[in-house]
Amino acid sequence: MPDPIKPVRIETRGLRAWFGAKEALHGIDMVFHDREVTAIIGPSGCGKSTFIRCLNRMHELVRGARAEGQVILDDVDVYGKDVDPVLLRRKVGMVFQKPNPFPTMSIRENVLSGLRLTGRLDRSRAEEIVERSLRGAALWDEVKDQLDKGGASLSGGQQQRLCIARSLAVEPEVLLMDEPASALDPIATARIEDLIHELKEQYTIAIVTHSMQQAARVSDRTAFFLMGDLVEVDDTDNIFTSPKDQRTEDYITGKFG
Amino acid sequence: MNEATAPRARTARAELTASRAGSKRLEKAFLALCLVSVFAPLALLLYLVGETTLDGLGRLSWDFLTGYPSRKAEKAGILPALVGSVYLITLAAGMALPVGVGAAIYLEEYGGRSRLARLIEVNIANLAGVPSVIYGLLGLGVFVRFLGLDRSLLAGAATLALLVLPIVIISSREAMRTVQDNVREAAYGLGATRWQVIRSVILPQALPGILTGAILAVSRAMGETAPLIVVGALTYMTFLPDGPMSPFTALPIQIFNWVSRPKAGFDINAAAGITVLLLTLLAMNATAIWIRQRAQRRA
Amino acid sequence: MPARLQLLPLALLVACGGGTSTETPSTEGAPSPAPAAEGGGTITIDGSSTVFPITEAVAEEYQQGRKTRVTIGVSGTGGGMKKLCAGEVLIAGASRPIKPSEVELCGANGIQLIELPVAYDGIAVVVNPQNDWASSMTVAELKALWAPEAQANVTKWSQVRPGWPDQEIHLFGAGVDSGTYDYFTAAVVGTEHSSRGDFTSSEDDNVLVQGISTDKLALGFFGLAYYEENKDKLKVLGVDDGNPANGDGPILPSAATVSDGTYQPLSRPIFLYVDAKAATRPEVQEFIHFYLEQGRPLVAEVGYIPLSDVAYGMVKQRFDAGKTGSLFEGHGSTIGATVEALLGKP
């Protein structure tokens, strides 16, 4: 059971998002608790990915996309005028649906890429960071002898864990995961889920998933999105056993989706 | 097999073994056509290169490579033209690559769909089709006269750089477009700025494609005669260019001059000159391919 | 790897930047003062591809043991004149006399020119060696064959002269951008740059030689030098201008008939034009003297026809006197005149 007294880490207030003229989110008010896993579920096109991409302002990188409203992270509105989205993303890391290691870089370079890209790499600590990040992503034992091999030569599941290690290396506080296991086989998926369990000791995690079983397995709280609206958010147990909204119940019982 | 299933098996056999002779013949004919389109031009090219090389072989010697122009075909050498071409191409590539890649970065990563970007895009596409003499006239007006560069190597190289700029821009853009969006996103997600993403993620991945463009550009620039003549390249000089402001001549000009001479013997010089041109081109492209291969091996 | 890749654009910038900073550009319009290695100066020449082989030969000999640099560009008679009038070169080679528009352009820029005939160029009318019916043509026949009206009308040998075979005639000619074409049309058709268009033309006369030597029904014209080099593959025709004053009947082109003015009208003088200000520079004077005094055998060696010694003397006098302006008063070629006759004019 989740600890109900965990403090709020992120809060969205009236968050709306558009792709061009099409509104994808209609004003979302929701909170994420510190060091908990919050799962976001819903049918395709319900806005769940858009929602978490608004949290670290990745959404606005898409041509013609924009967002409105507030996202409060540690008392700061990340959409405030003086907030640099680049610095925000160093604090709020992201793992994507499809594993996307940098193809021109080795495993080691991939792990260090965040720090190196942004010119913050302390060379004397490089080896330590590589090991810590890869251990954190439960990949160290598999790749420790081939750190100079290309990142793209790993299997899909390993690549995704490499991407997680890459995110961890920049020492974020929040991790956003956009269907991180949807491109992986069941065994690799299980490893990622185990990893999420470990990571929540240190990180606040938001995970978008299309799999209700996965949400039930990994998350403390679950939010159900439908057509750009937040229908219901509650402790995961409550959502899956006694949803308050009829639409939530219809979705989790497989009546649509 | 009992009696009930026998008819079905017969039908299946008939279906699976029916003659496809018609479509097979078509397939074969198509394959043959493809092979002909590959090998016919290749054979022609080989024949031309072979014939030219054979014609010029007798003249290809150290003396030819290190000699100066002369009215006597057997005494004439190609050194000023060879040195001029190498200088020209190096300078032109040195100008066209940074500018072209820069322009491609702007258009691909910054310009978006703004009116300005689209205007530039249309113009670049058009520039690629402008006859090279027009570039010569532009070079004469801008570099030689307006900027006062005179009839110098620099003016010639700048003109060639302009001429190949569309090739560099278009191929660099193509190369950058092949970098997948999710790799870009990964870098942005790590807190990289746009410039950091371009420099450390997009350019390294696009490098092989950019180099392919560079090879095309250099090959094009190497063979150009008309714009250089308009800009004021010489045909006869008996010294080597000693700096970017020096007068110059180039291989294709020397070759063209020899081809059209009435005296017998110059045609052999022209053939030898063409061989030198091809070899120089080959050497320069081999360098680019070598760099490209190294870049790709990392990938 | 990132470190290495980051250096690549930098290296290119350095390579490019290094190019621009080495020397300051010289002032616009100054007559190319590129300094020679150890004094001696540079003589810059541009212009006609017809004059080029002669000037190249002279420059090659002249530079033996001298420090003066001679550079020659080939941008055509018109291109060379433009550069000369813009003060970008000191001397221009021309396969035709200066045009009125060019006289004006030079004048506007305050540049006076000295006109120096340096050799003759003949145009040969040639056929295939297997052609056993034609050995000469009159100018009138040539005109009937090449005039614009002949296009699609005169297509058979029999239409040129009765008695010649009733077979197609295949025409070849110098490229329409060449001085040779301009002169041929002026001399034969009567209007410069005007002829029928249905003939095989090439800027490269060697292509014409090739074409005519493999086609029994061919007839073509090009520079005499190309005939001289390919005598065994071609048959040259005599030309009859119908004027007994310069030789009766058809005359075959040769060094003798061109320079004594009997091969008419298809021979013409070719020129150097010298910037009068540059003509006072010692290295330019030395070069022109060398050209006129020792150029004679070189002219013949590269396939052209030298002037007579008398004519070279007269040209040298003209240069030394610094006499500017054109013998042709800017009115184009005087068809069929010898240099002596031109220079001898009062």
Side-chain angles (χ1 to χ4, degrees):
Chain A
M1 275 300 287
D3 185 348
I5 59 162
K6 275 193 175 159
V8 169
R9 193 70 207 271
I10 301 175
E11 182 178 357
T12 70
R13 292 180 193 156
L15 182 64
R16 301 170 72 190
W18 288 265
F19 289 100
K22 189 179 170 295
E23 187 168 345
L25 289 178
H26 306 303
I28 308 294
D29 300 293
M30 187 178 152
V31 297
F32 294 82
H33 294 186
D34 193 32
R35 297 180 199 211
E36 270 190 11
V37 176
T38 306
I40 297 160
I41 60 170
S44 295
C46 68
K48 54 190 193 295
S49 284
T50 306
F51 178 57
I52 69 160
R53 290 167 63 93
C54 284
L55 301 182
N56 69 344
R57 297 183 60 175
M58 287 291 285
H59 173 65
E60 66 204 56
L61 290 175
V62 178
R63 226 164 239 178
R66 64 193 175 90
E68 218 173 68
Q70 287 182 308
V71 174
I72 313 290
L73 170 70
D74 299 338
D75 294 329
V76 178
D77 178 11
V78 305
Y79 282 93
K81 272 203 174 66
D82 48 352
V83 171
D84 183 349
V86 165
L87 298 177
L88 169 69
R89 292 181 203 128
R90 293 178 191 174
K91 205 165 165 172
V92 183
M94 191 152 199
V95 177
F96 299 85
Q97 183 170 0
K98 212 176 143 208
N100 53 2
F102 297 124
T104 56
M105 299 184 194
S106 68
I107 293 172
R108 183 201 315 274
E109 287 166 342
N110 259 288
V111 175
L112 295 173
S113 58
L115 294 170
R116 192 172 276 167
L117 273 171
T118 56
R120 294 178 295 152
L121 178 64
D122 174 359
R123 276 175 198 282
S124 61
R125 287 187 56 226
E127 290 310 304
E128 176 202 331
I129 293 169
V130 169
E131 181 171 347
R132 179 167 48 79
S133 306
L134 286 171
R135 277 190 194 283
L139 188 59
W140 173 253
D141 290 331
E142 292 161 57
V143 301
K144 63 184 176 195
D145 299 322
Q146 41 175 331
L147 293 176
D148 292 316
K149 266 178 69 174
S153 64
L154 298 173
S155 73
Q158 288 174 321
Q159 284 188 22
Q160 193 60 301
R161 278 179 283 145
L162 176 59
C163 292
I164 294 172
R166 181 175 68 187
S167 296
L168 299 181
V170 299
E171 299 181 329
E173 293 163 28
V174 178
L175 260 188
L176 308 174
M177 299 180 142
D178 188 359
E179 305 200 27
S182 67
L184 305 180
D185 63 64
I187 294 169
T189 300
R191 300 208 58 160
I192 298 281
E193 289 177 5
D194 290 344
L195 177 57
I196 293 171
H197 268 296
E198 291 165 27
L199 290 173
K200 82 169 180 183
E201 302 298 321
Q202 287 184 62
Y203 304 93
T204 302
I205 296 173
I207 175 171
V208 166
T209 176
H210 63 271
S211 152
M212 284 174 278
Q213 291 82 353
Q214 186 170 64
R217 283 194 299 263
V218 302
S219 69
D220 302 296
R221 283 158 48 84
T222 296
F224 172 59
F225 273 61
L226 189 62
M227 289 158 68
D229 283 308
L230 170 60
V231 174
E232 190 173 356
V233 56
D234 205 342
D235 286 349
T236 300
D237 286 349
N238 292 343
I239 288 279
F240 285 102
T241 55
S242 50
K244 294 187 188 69
D245 195 293
Q246 185 59 41
R247 291 171 294 174
T248 314
E249 186 174 341
D250 289 350
Y251 181 68
I252 60 176
T253 54
K255 289 207 176 123
F256 73 96
Chain B
M1 190 188 293
N2 63 35
E3 290 194 8
T5 60
R8 195 162 67 202
R10 245 194 323 272
T11 324
R13 168 163 294 274
E15 279 170 4
L16 294 174
T17 58
S19 166
R20 280 198 307 117
S23 71
K24 263 187 194 155
R25 237 195 329 270
L26 205 66
E27 225 172 277
K28 270 192 186 146
F30 183 67
L31 180 68
L33 193 72
C34 291
L35 285 176
V36 168
S37 3
V38 171
F39 287 107
L42 203 67
L44 198 66
L45 187 73
L46 271 179
Y47 170 75
L48 279 174
V49 171
E51 167 121 331
T52 308
T53 314
L54 280 180
D55 282 352
L57 212 55
R59 197 55 48 83
L60 267 184
S61 64
W62 187 245
D63 284 341
F64 180 73
L65 290 176
T66 57
Y68 291 89
S70 165
R71 68 181 184 280
K72 297 191 176 78
E74 46 313 319
K75 254 184 71 187
I78 205 163
L79 187 62
L82 179 59
V83 172
S85 270
V86 171
Y87 269 140
L88 269 180
I89 297 308
T90 313
L91 278 173
M95 288 184 257
L97 282 181
V99 175
V101 173
I105 289 173
Y106 169 76
L107 290 172
E108 215 37 46
E109 305 291 331
Y110 289 92
R113 284 188 224 147
S114 69
R115 193 170 294 216
L116 176 70
R118 267 182 301 174
L119 191 76
I120 296 174
E121 230 176 296
V122 169
N123 275 305
I124 288 171
N126 285 337
L127 278 179
V130 170
S132 56
V133 186
I134 307 294
Y135 283 95
L137 292 171
L138 184 68
L140 181 68
V142 176
F143 301 122
V144 176
R145 303 224 162 114
F146 182 72
L147 292 180
L149 294 182
D150 253 336
R151 317 203 296 166
S152 64
L153 260 179
L154 195 59
T159 306
L160 287 182
L162 219 53
L163 176 79
V164 300
L165 206 52
I167 302 177
V168 176
I169 295 175
I170 290 168
S171 57
S172 300
R173 288 189 68 184
E174 286 303 326
M176 282 189 250
R177 224 171 281 167
T178 60
V179 178
Q180 290 181 330
D181 273 340
N182 66 17
V183 176
R184 275 170 231 251
E185 282 196 325
Y188 283 120
L190 290 167
T193 62
R194 191 178 278 206
W195 164 239
Q196 288 163 343
V197 173
I198 291 168
R199 192 197 58 190
S200 305
V201 175
I202 296 176
L203 283 185
Q205 253 187 284
L207 188 66
I210 292 173
L211 285 170
T212 304
I215 291 173
L216 287 174
V218 162
S219 310
R220 169 93 197 267
M222 192 88 182
E224 282 297 341
T225 319
L228 291 179
I229 289 188
V230 174
V231 167
L234 298 170
T235 300
Y236 173 86
M237 60 189 276
T238 49
F239 52 96
L240 297 181
D242 49 10
M245 295 310 296
S246 169
F248 68 99
T249 181
L251 286 172
I253 296 177
Q254 190 60 257
I255 291 165
F256 180 73
N257 174 256
W258 281 335
V259 165
S260 55
R261 294 287 280 259
K263 281 270 172 196
F266 281 107
D267 51 340
I268 304 177
N269 286 29
I274 289 167
T275 311
V276 171
L277 179 82
L278 286 176
L279 288 176
T280 314
L281 201 56
L282 221 57
M284 287 188 150
N285 286 352
T287 315
I289 290 169
W290 180 70
I291 298 174
R292 185 176 69 186
Q293 227 94 47
R294 278 174 54 104
Q296 269 169 339
R297 210 172 303 137
R298 310 279 315 184
Chain C
M1 169 194 53
R4 199 166 31 242
L5 282 174
Q6 284 156 23
L7 282 175
L8 185 65
L10 186 68
L12 289 170
L13 279 172
V14 168
C16 154
T20 52
S21 63
T22 317
E23 245 177 274
T24 47
S26 55
T27 44
E28 192 205 342
S32 294
E38 302 139 283
T42 301
I43 301 174
T44 52
I45 307 173
D46 206 309
S48 162
S49 60
T50 309
V51 189
F52 173 81
I54 305 174
T55 310
E56 181 196 48
V58 172
E60 189 182 355
E61 287 306 310
Y62 171 76
Q63 284 180 288
Q64 302 292 331
R66 285 189 180 83
K67 296 229 165 87
T68 309
R69 285 172 165 182
V70 181
T71 67
I72 313 171
V74 178
S75 43
T77 299
M81 283 302 192
K82 272 200 196 104
K83 283 185 172 138
L84 185 63
C85 292
E88 290 172 357
V89 295
L90 306 181
I91 301 171
S95 60
R96 54 156 174 79
I98 190 165
K99 288 182 179 170
S101 58
E102 290 161 349
V103 173
E104 241 172 76
L105 180 64
C106 271
N109 292 338
I111 289 173
Q112 300 290 313
L113 300 180
I114 304 176
E115 181 180 66
L116 307 173
V118 291
Y120 292 109
D121 185 24
I123 296 174
V125 179
V126 297
V127 294
N128 189 278
Q130 284 178 287
N131 178 323
D132 53 10
W133 55 91
S135 62
S136 73
M137 283 176 81
T138 66
V139 173
E141 285 166 342
L142 281 172
K143 179 174 179 176
L145 180 58
W146 283 96
E149 308 83 72
Q151 179 147 348
N153 292 326
V154 183
T155 57
K156 292 188 170 162
W157 281 96
S158 53
Q159 290 169 287
V160 179
R161 185 183 289 179
W164 281 354
D166 187 26
Q167 280 180 297
E168 275 183 29
I169 185 164
H170 300 154
L171 296 173
F172 294 78
V176 295
D177 288 332
S178 67
T180 305
Y181 174 78
D182 280 351
Y183 189 80
F184 182 81
T185 48
V188 164
V189 179
T191 315
E192 189 168 295
H193 213 78
S194 157
S195 78
R196 65 193 296 168
D198 54 348
F199 66 97
T200 304
S201 88
S202 171
E203 299 294 334
D204 178 1
D205 290 356
N206 287 321
V207 172
L208 302 175
V209 170
Q210 188 71 23
I212 297 167
S213 66
T214 54
D215 183 348
K216 192 183 171 188
L217 300 175
L219 180 143
F221 69 90
F222 44 69
L224 184 54
Y226 291 85
Y227 165 71
E228 296 288 341
E229 275 301 314
N230 298 283
K231 272 183 172 160
D232 49 333
K233 292 184 244 172
L234 302 167
K235 175 178 165 188
V236 72
L237 298 186
V239 174
D240 181 0
D241 66 352
N243 176 4
N246 47 32
D248 226 352
I251 309 279
L252 284 170
S254 70
T257 58
V258 168
S259 66
D260 67 14
T262 52
Y263 181 65
Q264 293 293 351
L266 292 179
S267 69
R268 57 170 174 170
I270 53 182
F271 307 89
L272 288 188
Y273 285 89
V274 185
D275 181 337
K277 271 189 297 247
T280 58
R281 288 168 42 173
E283 71 270 20
V284 174
Q285 284 179 349
E286 194 187 22
F287 177 73
I288 296 292
H289 284 169
F290 188 91
Y291 207 119
L292 299 174
E293 283 161 6
Q294 300 179 49
R296 206 171 194 284
L298 299 174
V299 169
E301 186 183 335
V302 295
Y304 292 84
I305 296 138
L307 311 183
S308 67
D309 285 335
V310 178
Y312 277 120
M314 292 162 88
V315 174
K316 185 165 172 264
Q317 266 177 12
R318 184 179 171 82
F319 175 75
D320 288 340
K323 198 164 177 348
T324 60
S326 174
L327 292 163
F328 305 89
E329 289 145 352
H331 297 309
S333 301
T334 305
I335 302 299
T338 62
V339 168
E340 291 92 328
L342 285 168
L343 288 171
K345 275 204 303 193

